[in-house]
Amino acid sequence: MVEKLLMYLQYPFVQYALIVGVLIALCSALLGVILVLKRFSFIGDGLSHVAFGAMAIAAVLGISNNMLFVLPVTVICAILLLRTGNNTRIKGDAAIAMISVGALAIGYLLMHLFSTSSNVSGDVCSTLFGSTSILTLTPVEVWLTIGLSVVVLGVFIFYYNTILSVTFDESFAHGTGTKVSLYNLLIAVLIAVIIVIAMNLVGSLLISALVIFPALSAMRVFKSFKGVTVCSAFVSVFCALAGIIISIATSTPVGSTIVAINIFVFLIFYVVGLVKR
Amino acid sequence: MALIQCKNLTLGYDHKKLIEQLSFSVEQGDYLCIVGENGSGKTTLMKALLGLINPIKGSIIRGDGLKPKEIGYLPQQTIVQKDFPASVKEIVLTGCQGRMGLRPFYSKAEKQLAKDNMEKMDITDLANRCYRDLSGGQQQRVLLARALCATQKVLLLDEPVSGLDPKVTEEMYRLISQLNRRDNITVIMITHDIEAAVKYSSHILHIGDSTFFATNKEYQKTDFYKSFAEEKEGI
Ligand SMILES: Nc1ncnc2c1ncn2[C@@H]1O[C@H](COP(=O)(O)OP(=O)(O)O)[C@@H](O)[C@H]1O
Ligand SMILES: [Mg+2]
């Protein structure tokens, strides 16, 4: 068993998968803390469906490098959604649900009508639930992910204190001179970028899980923002590593395996939280 | 020159006007209470004073070299805050954000300032506790300490005692009164509690069907207050 794993670790595609998996897990966990606290848990879901719809459109239009289309569309939607959420919460919720369902339906419809592939439902399934594409990453994709992750991490660490202030109390932060709308914009862009990258890993349907589970687990147990943030990052990285290795060893689907482990860890933290209290 | 002066202020959202032609001024050391019905626009006025929303008409002039960042604010509590996983220390420190500019991390002086203000609000022993585990009164003290980190001059308080029991409410009022008298911090406070307004404030701004600004003494001579006091006697 161990020998088999060590053998797998020799392959570049496994190394790539692990690097990308860990980085995406790290970034989505950090942003997840903000989104869960801001009551935007569903934005991950909504945006991933938007990205799915955009991919379908890109395929129909025959755009060869679909990232160039999918990323801007998702970023714009993220900005619009986070903006509506600012003023009136209920409308923001409804907007997310509407865009989420709408993009999913239109995306599937387009793929069904225009796809040249003989296996439409197979294609859809792999976009939604994550394909084996994490095991077929090219060095360019790996470097792209590394670059974007470094940017996300850098921004998060540099603006950590401001992020805490704005997340806890937007009115106070705004009133004492923090440029709140700028930070909301920044967070919207970051989350869109992460979601588009993460689609390679777990597919659009399971991104929400990657965003919310580590944060929710950490919040069960830790009592400071720093504790929650750091713990959430560790939990997420651990689950991603374990998930990828298990899925390679037992040939289960990568995304679903990672989420299953996340659920398991959440249950453990939930119990620990109850005991501690 | 007045610390804050409002001239012919008209406030509202979209096409709905909430407050029209309001003029008043606040001097250093004043204790102004803003009273009025729910939905009459008290919070809106406070947001305008903070520069969070623009007046439809009229102007707000800051005097005495008061910078926008030097106003400490205690907003109405939001649901986001109720179960927020952050320690008391972390939250009080966010009060120093305004003075940081682009510097990402807190300096020694700012950490000391946070410590001093926690001392002042008597929450030093709660420093490492989680905000969501505190009682309502303790949470308000934390937010007050945070506001004090942002200002030496003016505190804007939006219903600081809502949801607190009578004993804690009284303590909170005394604490605010002490900041006003001992530290000479100007206080502008929204409250439903006309009795408390009359007891503690130097000036009262009444918002509603009839909007008027008066010193505490003048206010007690108005017909509105007399009918309020009579009703109170009746009970
Ligand atoms: N962002 C907003 N957009 C539109 N209307 C608002 C907004 N915020 C508050 N209002 C409306 O303005 C009125 C006054 O609100 P507010 O100033 O919060 O009253 P108060 O604090 O006196 O209870 C309410 O009717 C409220 O519905
Ligand atoms: Mg109000």
Side-chain angles (χ1 to χ4, degrees), chain B residues 22-79:
Chain B
L22 174 66
S23 298
F24 68 94
S25 63
V26 182
E27 308 283 341
Q28 177 72 45
D30 279 359
Y31 189 150
L32 172 67
C33 273
I34 303 174
V35 296
E37 309 263 294
N38 254 335
S40 56
K42 304 183 296 293
T43 300
T44 306
L45 172 62
M46 196 162 265
K47 287 191 169 162
L49 292 179
L50 279 160
L52 300 186
I53 53 176
N54 291 320
I56 296 174
K57 258 191 260 157
S59 59
I60 300 169
I61 304 162
R62 293 190 183 85
D64 293 348
L66 179 68
K67 299 190 197 87
K69 289 179 189 176
E70 286 178 333
I71 297 179
Y73 178 38
L74 197 149
Q76 268 175 306
Q77 291 238 38
T78 62
I79 46 161

Side-chain angles (χ1 to χ4, degrees), chain A:
Chain A
M1 181 75 192
V2 175
E3 266 167 40
K4 195 173 152 202
L5 270 180
L6 284 178
M7 186 191 75
Y8 276 127
L9 286 177
Q10 308 289 323
Y11 294 113
F13 77 88
V14 175
Q15 294 167 356
Y16 290 164
L18 286 174
I19 294 172
V20 169
V22 164
L23 288 176
I24 290 175
L26 188 59
C27 294
S28 57
L30 294 179
L31 288 169
V33 173
I34 304 176
L35 292 175
V36 168
L37 287 174
K38 277 171 103 66
R39 303 294 194 273
F40 276 124
S41 304
F42 270 112
I43 203 164
D45 198 48
L47 287 179
S48 62
H49 291 173
V50 168
F52 170 79
M55 270 183 185
I57 294 174
V60 168
L61 294 179
I63 299 170
S64 55
N65 190 346
N66 64 12
M67 272 300 147
L68 292 180
F69 180 72
V70 175
L71 194 57
V73 169
T74 314
V75 166
I76 290 170
C77 279
I79 293 170
L80 291 178
L81 284 179
L82 279 171
R83 172 153 306 162
T84 47
N86 269 348
N87 297 335
T88 41
R89 168 151 286 102
I90 298 161
K91 268 190 204 155
D93 258 20
I96 291 176
M98 210 169 68
I99 288 188
S100 168
V101 174
L104 195 62
I106 298 293
Y108 184 52
L109 195 62
L110 285 176
M111 278 177 116
H112 199 83
L113 289 178
F114 294 100
S115 178
T116 48
S117 147
S118 56
N119 181 12
V120 174
S121 48
D123 285 354
V124 171
C125 191
S126 71
T127 328
L128 283 182
F129 291 102
S131 51
T132 47
S133 64
I134 187 154
L135 298 176
T136 57
L137 294 167
T138 63
V140 176
E141 287 173 313
V142 176
W143 281 111
L144 186 72
T145 311
I146 292 176
L148 287 172
S149 306
V150 168
V151 172
V152 171
L153 280 178
V155 167
F156 194 91
I157 292 171
F158 195 79
Y159 290 118
Y160 169 84
N161 285 311
T162 317
I163 287 172
L164 166 59
S165 171
V166 173
T167 311
F168 179 70
D169 194 338
E170 223 166 82
S171 316
F172 178 85
H174 194 171
T176 50
T178 306
K179 299 207 168 40
V180 169
S181 42
L182 207 65
Y183 285 99
N184 282 333
L185 192 72
L186 190 70
I187 287 166
V189 173
L190 291 184
I191 185 68
V193 169
I194 291 300
I195 279 168
V196 172
I197 307 176
M199 288 189 70
N200 273 328
L201 180 62
V202 291
S204 77
L205 209 59
L206 301 177
I207 285 177
S208 280
L210 215 55
V211 168
I212 60 179
F213 268 109
L216 286 177
S217 299
M219 280 171 207
R220 288 294 114 205
V221 173
F222 283 86
K223 299 196 173 294
S224 72
F225 192 69
K226 198 185 253 164
V228 168
T229 311
V230 172
C231 169
S232 163
F234 271 108
V235 165
S236 187
V237 168
F238 168 80
C239 293
L241 275 178
I244 292 171
I245 290 172
I246 291 175
S247 77
I248 291 173
T250 63
S251 49
T252 47
V254 182
S256 318
T257 310
I258 295 178
V259 174
I261 295 176
N262 264 302
I263 294 173
F264 181 67
V265 170
F266 174 77
L267 290 178
I268 293 176
F269 274 67
Y270 186 82
V271 172
V272 172
L274 285 184
V275 172
K276 256 182 104 176
R277 199 151 288 182

Side-chain angles (χ1 to χ4, degrees), chain B residues 160-225:
Chain B
V161 298
S162 71
L164 303 183
D165 64 50
K167 186 160 159 278
V168 181
T169 297
E170 199 55 37
E171 265 172 37
M172 197 73 193
Y173 279 136
R174 213 170 302 139
L175 205 59
I176 295 166
S177 187
Q178 194 183 19
L179 288 172
N180 173 246
R181 257 183 258 141
R182 197 185 59 190
D183 301 321
N184 198 30
I185 292 175
T186 310
V187 174
I188 302 178
M189 176 170 85
I190 293 176
T191 179
H192 279 303
D193 189 348
I194 292 182
E195 235 179 313
V198 168
K199 186 167 167 197
Y200 291 104
S201 73
S202 65
H203 296 74
I204 292 175
L205 175 62
H206 189 107
I207 295 180
D209 297 334
S210 63
T211 296
F212 53 90
F213 174 70
T215 64
N216 193 326
K217 280 214 182 73
E218 285 165 10
Y219 185 79
Q220 293 189 45
K221 288 185 200 131
T222 59
D223 293 339
F224 177 86
Y225 181 73

Side-chain angles (χ1 to χ4, degrees), chain B residues 14 28 40 77 80 82 87 100 108 113 122 138 144 158 166 170 179 185 192 197 209 218:
Chain B
D14 302 325
Q28 177 72 45
S40 56
Q77 291 238 38
V80 170
K82 285 258 160 65
S87 70
M100 303 231 302
K108 267 221 175 79
L113 181 66
D122 203 15
Q138 289 170 327
L144 209 49
D158 197 342
E170 199 55 37
L179 288 172
I185 292 175
H192 279 303
D209 297 334
E218 285 165 10

